[in-house]
Amino acid sequence: KNSSGDGLKETRDRALLLLGFAGAFRRSELVALNVDDVQNVREGLTITIQRSKTDQEGHGRKIGIPFARGTCCPVKAVLSWQQVAGITTGPIFRGVDRHGNVGGRLSDHAVARIIKEWAAKAGLDPDDYSGHSLRSGLVTSAANAGIANHKIRAQTGHKGDTMLNRYIRDGQMFTDNAAGIL
């Protein structure tokens, strides 16, 4: 492993962070993903969330993860992780020990630790980030880019605008701020 991002953990973390953001996934949804829940399609990946906080009955929902330009493509990151880790069945996101052995399914607490760790590596205050930061980050970024609420909800699975607007309001606190304009 080296500081350029090589190594199994770095490859896994990159896939986890990019997919988590692109899909606006809850950490519990990310760690529950199995190989069978991910289909390669021409446009990217189709992810099936089997069950979630708002779908306890397990009706499931599909989310499209498109290819992205540049080095931050969640599709390429996930495929790369699966390839280098030799993952062909079972959980996608797994622990990696210090010897490079790939283990069992990651916990949702591990996702929170990974987010905080990479926030710190990026020079950000890890206390400002949590396991929910990927989900809220996509909502905030999409809203700031002018994406319509119904399109954001299609990605996040929110049923209405109430919770979505809470994310957006917090993320846009300084956008066109009246005090900042004066």
Side-chain angles (χ1 to χ4, degrees), residues 42-90:
R42 188 173 50 81
E43 301 88 349
L45 298 175
T46 301
I47 308 285
T48 301
I49 299 297
Q50 299 295 344
R51 74 177 46 237
S52 70
K53 178 179 159 187
T54 56
D55 177 22
Q56 296 296 313
E57 300 81 35
H59 297 293
R61 69 182 182 96
K62 290 186 183 292
I63 297 139
I65 305 296
F67 283 101
R69 290 185 289 279
T71 60
C72 294
C73 178
V75 176
K76 292 176 184 173
V78 169
L79 297 175
S80 176
W81 160 242
Q82 285 182 265
Q83 181 181 12
V84 300
I87 296 171
T88 57
T89 61

Side-chain angles (χ1 to χ4, degrees), residues 23-43:
F25 293 121
R26 294 175 179 92
R27 59 189 181 167
S28 60
E29 294 168 343
L30 274 173
V31 298
L33 286 177
N34 291 314
V35 171
D36 292 344
D37 299 326
V38 179
Q39 277 73 48
N40 291 310
V41 294
R42 188 173 50 81
E43 301 88 349

